[in-house]
Amino acid sequence: MEETTKNFIEAFVEEDIGPGGRFEGMQVHTRFPPEPNGYLHIGHCKALCIDFGTAERFGGITNLRMDDTNPAKEDTEFVDAIQEDIHWLGFDWGNRFFYGSDYFEQTYQFAVELIKKGLAYVCALTPDEFREYRGDTSHPAVSPWRDRPVEENLDLFERMKNGEFAEGQYTLRARIDLASGNFNLRDPVLYRIRYIEHHRQGTKWCIFPMYDFAHPIQDALEGITHSLCSLEYEDHRPLYDWVVEHVSVPYHRPRQIEFSRLGINYTVMSKRKLRKLVEEGLVSGWDDPRMPTLCGLRRRGYTPGAIRDFTGRIGVSKVDSTVDWALLESCLRDDLNENAKRVMAVLRPIKLTIINYPEGRTEYLTVENNPLHPEQGSREVVFSRHLYVEAEDFLSCPVPKYKRLYPEGPECRLKGAYLIKCTGCVHDGEGHLTEVQCTYDPDSRGGDPADGRKVTGATIHWVDAATAADAEIRLYDPLFTDPDPDGPDKDFLDYVNPESLVTLTGCKVEAGLSAAPMPEKGRTAVSYQFMRQGYFCLDNKDASPGHLVFNRAVALKDSFKK
């Protein structure tokens, strides 16, 4: 690996597997351990790409492990969705798929082992008393049950497992160091009683291990070399190391390395808060295209390549920071500009009639699919006397510097077709504009005048009125009006943007889009650049043959300063 491409995690890994390193001669082995209590979102992508990407760079492997030790909101729906999202991003775990609950029996036995060593005890403190007895650095307090006899602890712990006590009546705590400056080492809770049905284990267990106890054991049992996690677990690392040092896991001790979490403006990343948006009907579901979930981004038209490019650009650091959402949009725009087929669509149509074009005549004009890639070929579009153009491309009384259509205004180009000049317009009995009229230059096919005269008007996109397909088009803006809706002393619900979705009906698109391939489950739909409008794809939920529904993934204008 070249020095210039190495981040601090890769430097640590390279050191560990090199001569004299703690994992010399071993294969790099990482894991991605999401909790199946919601859908993956863009914030998870950083960890996901680091876990899988680091292993890939060193020829290693990655486990996918569902962290289902807290059954309160866990569900198989989320398990399936997480696997789908990871595959969509282009990563694979092979046959290394596990559940944290797979290790419940082993974890329980390791807890018994700690009790026998005098390193764990059953405590009857309530949560409030637990906080009080934890004490502070200068005056640590001791739990009255810290010195219970081993046999009594073993008996109580087994009876906890057998369901003989009320929820919250007892906990199992590690016996470490009540005077430690690190509160995570002040006799932390290892097990609690919960009478709740587990999505896989049912009611077999009524005691559940805490994450800080279960996770290092799971890593060690699976042979993980590097446990890569977000910066919030840095203070938990001494407890992670304490656990694997004091239980008899028959493997090496993994190395935990922390990195900063991903923060993005104009959104929230908490699963609890995202769930609240869903439950209160402020979005249509977890896959609403305004949500930062991967299924929502996929539905909106984001590509795996754009998201992986984004995580690569933000890099790996030890400092928490907030990234501008515009950077993510810029990555998508770069991807789609390179790969998306160009088509014409009119979002707010007004009829345009070319009064000197023969009635009943039809032409087929050849248009490039992607000017950046001539090898992608071209297509034919229908042209006739009656077209649709954007309503904003005509003003009966133009404003200064307006270069589009208005009576006796400048010549304008119809994209890939002819030069036209507006001659007037038609209104109905109530004064509403119903038609724009113009003439065309028959010698300007392709958009250039035969005599070489200068054209000062704008280039206008259009669709043929007789053959255009109808479509519903959805335009999205940020879900929140505040760049930091989750900030201190804020209720994020106060900043939900009521104009984050604008739905346009009666839109007109090229006839060929009526045969556009419908999106497949778990995949991004084919993307198109609607000329002058942005990048769009068919909605993977509401679109169907004969009912075209397009989502705007991103506008053409790039607001991110590179």
Side-chain angles (χ1 to χ4, degrees):
M1 181 176 299
E2 296 180 8
E3 188 70 29
T4 56
T5 64
K6 195 187 308 176
N7 60 50
F8 74 91
I9 291 178
E10 293 164 349
F12 285 147
V13 173
E14 192 170 68
E15 174 186 309
D16 287 344
I17 64 175
R22 63 195 295 177
F23 303 127
E24 181 182 0
M26 295 179 62
Q27 184 178 37
V28 173
H29 197 163
T30 64
R31 84 290 171 268
F32 180 63
E35 184 177 3
N37 63 348
Y39 289 79
L40 294 184
H41 54 64
I42 186 65
H44 293 111
C45 286
K46 181 175 182 179
L48 200 158
C49 289
I50 288 174
D51 287 330
F52 281 91
T54 300
E56 284 183 357
R57 290 184 194 100
F58 289 94
I61 54 178
T62 301
N63 290 4
L64 175 60
R65 183 200 310 140
M66 296 295 157
D67 173 29
D68 61 345
T69 56
N70 178 18
K73 292 186 180 295
E74 295 165 358
D75 194 276
T76 53
E77 171 193 352
F78 302 130
V79 172
D80 295 340
I82 288 169
Q83 294 181 79
E84 182 176 84
D85 287 342
I86 296 173
H87 275 144
W88 175 67
L89 279 177
F91 296 113
D92 188 67
W93 53 89
N95 62 352
R96 296 174 302 280
F97 177 68
F98 305 97
Y99 289 91
S101 57
D102 291 341
Y103 307 102
F104 276 176
E105 180 61 38
Q106 290 164 288
T107 306
Y108 172 79
Q109 294 300 332
F110 286 130
V112 170
E113 178 185 349
L114 289 180
I115 294 174
K116 291 179 178 179
K117 291 179 178 179
L119 296 175
Y121 60 95
V122 174
C123 182
L125 294 177
T126 66
D128 288 339
E129 290 172 334
F130 173 72
R131 281 187 288 271
E132 178 185 347
Y133 274 80
R134 243 180 159 185
D136 58 37
T137 304
S138 57
H139 299 93
V142 178
S143 165
W145 294 278
R146 197 171 195 258
D147 295 320
R148 275 190 200 274
V150 168
E151 291 305 319
E152 185 177 334
N153 282 318
L154 289 172
D155 176 66
L156 286 172
F157 189 49
E158 183 176 5
R159 292 169 65 191
M160 285 170 61
K161 178 175 74 74
N162 294 338
E164 296 184 24
F165 304 117
E167 194 169 294
Q169 183 175 348
Y170 289 113
T171 59
L172 181 71
R173 295 175 63 182
R175 197 174 192 275
I176 307 179
D177 182 6
L178 283 172
S180 174
N182 186 332
F183 270 66
N184 295 293
L185 295 179
R186 293 192 179 187
D187 290 14
V189 172
L190 304 182
Y191 268 89
R192 77 284 199 202
I193 301 171
R194 290 294 309 275
Y195 292 102
I196 187 170
E197 185 168 352
H198 190 277
H199 74 109
R200 293 183 67 245
Q201 301 284 344
T203 57
K204 179 180 177 180
W205 293 89
C206 63
I207 57 170
F208 294 94
M210 302 298 288
Y211 179 86
D212 279 344
F213 184 55
H215 191 70
I217 289 173
Q218 294 162 9
D219 283 350
L221 287 173
E222 291 179 9
I224 302 302
T225 58
H226 295 87
S227 182
L228 312 178
C229 57
S230 52
L231 203 57
E232 70 216 69
Y233 292 104
E234 185 172 34
D235 288 343
H236 296 246
R237 192 197 317 151
L239 178 55
Y240 180 101
D241 292 340
W242 184 91
V243 170
V244 293
E245 285 172 0
H246 289 89
V247 298
S248 56
V249 178
Y251 299 107
H252 60 274
R253 188 182 77 190
R255 177 176 184 176
Q256 178 175 301
I257 304 173
E258 306 85 16
F259 55 86
S260 62
R261 299 179 71 174
L262 171 61
I264 307 181
N265 60 6
Y266 290 101
T267 191
V268 295
M269 297 290 195
S270 161
K271 285 183 186 177
R272 177 180 59 83
K273 293 179 179 179
L274 293 176
R275 181 181 290 107
K276 194 167 186 179
L277 291 171
V278 174
E279 292 173 347
E280 297 198 7
L282 297 169
V283 293
S284 63
W286 287 93
D287 63 349
D288 188 298
R290 293 167 291 178
M291 292 278 274
T293 54
L294 293 189
C295 55
L297 293 171
R298 179 165 61 242
R299 183 177 175 187
R300 184 163 171 173
Y302 276 77
T303 64
I307 292 176
R308 292 182 68 162
D309 180 30
F310 171 70
T311 58
R313 290 198 206 184
I314 61 177
V316 180
S317 73
K318 276 277 194 180
V319 180
D320 285 330
S321 60
T322 300
V323 180
D324 194 334
W325 188 275
L327 173 58
L328 178 58
E329 290 184 328
S330 179
C331 293
L332 178 63
R333 194 176 289 108
D334 288 347
D335 187 344
L336 296 182
N337 181 56
E338 187 73 21
N339 299 303
K341 180 180 179 180
R342 275 58 167 169
V343 297
M344 291 189 285
V346 178
L347 276 56
R348 299 173 177 86
I350 186 70
K351 192 172 184 180
L352 182 143
T353 298
I354 306 173
I355 57 177
N356 64 332
Y357 193 92
E359 189 74 62
R361 178 182 172 187
T362 297
E363 290 185 67
Y364 294 90
L365 305 178
T366 301
V367 182
E368 285 184 298
N369 288 327
N370 187 338
L372 297 181
H373 293 283
E375 71 277 7
Q376 293 183 12
S378 59
R379 68 191 185 284
E380 289 187 332
V381 295
V382 176
F383 184 88
S384 66
R385 177 184 174 94
H386 301 288
L387 310 173
Y388 286 114
V389 296
E390 291 288 347
E392 67 177 21
D393 286 337
F394 172 80
L395 286 178
S396 55
C397 297
V399 296
K401 297 184 180 180
Y402 188 73
K403 298 293 185 180
R404 303 178 197 177
L405 299 173
Y406 58 90
E408 303 307 318
E411 280 189 304
C412 294
R413 286 184 173 87
L414 289 175
K415 178 69 177 177
Y418 293 95
L419 298 179
I420 58 171
K421 187 175 179 65
C422 182
T423 59
C425 58
V426 177
H427 294 81
D428 62 18
E430 298 180 353
H432 299 134
L433 178 68
T434 60
E435 183 180 299
V436 175
Q437 296 179 335
C438 66
T439 58
Y440 88 116
D441 177 2
D443 294 326
S444 62
R445 179 166 171 153
D448 293 317
D451 60 9
R453 66 184 180 275
K454 184 178 181 181
V455 178
T456 59
T459 298
I460 295 171
H461 67 279
W462 53 275
V463 293
D464 178 65
T467 59
D470 292 321
E472 175 185 316
I473 292 180
R474 299 169 181 175
L475 307 177
Y476 297 97
D477 275 323
L479 185 55
F480 296 97
T481 57
D482 190 298
D484 184 20
D486 209 12
D489 303 319
K490 290 181 180 179
D491 182 347
F492 72 106
L493 294 179
D494 292 339
Y495 303 96
V496 174
N497 181 6
E499 299 178 357
S500 57
L501 168 62
V502 174
T503 301
L504 303 177
T505 57
C507 306
K508 304 292 181 179
V509 299
E510 281 187 27
L513 287 177
S514 61
M518 290 294 113
E520 298 180 32
K521 186 179 186 311
R523 300 185 65 180
T524 300
V526 175
S527 297
Y528 303 90
Q529 184 194 102
F530 288 1
M531 295 180 186
R532 299 174 60 208
Q533 302 290 355
Y535 295 95
F536 294 76
C537 73
L538 282 169
D539 186 89
N540 66 16
K541 203 168 190 178
D542 298 333
S544 60
H547 179 59
L548 302 180
V549 180
F550 286 95
N551 296 324
R552 184 173 68 185
V554 66
L556 289 177
K557 185 179 180 182
D558 191 343
S559 61
F560 177 69
K561 295 180 180 179
K562 298 183 180 180

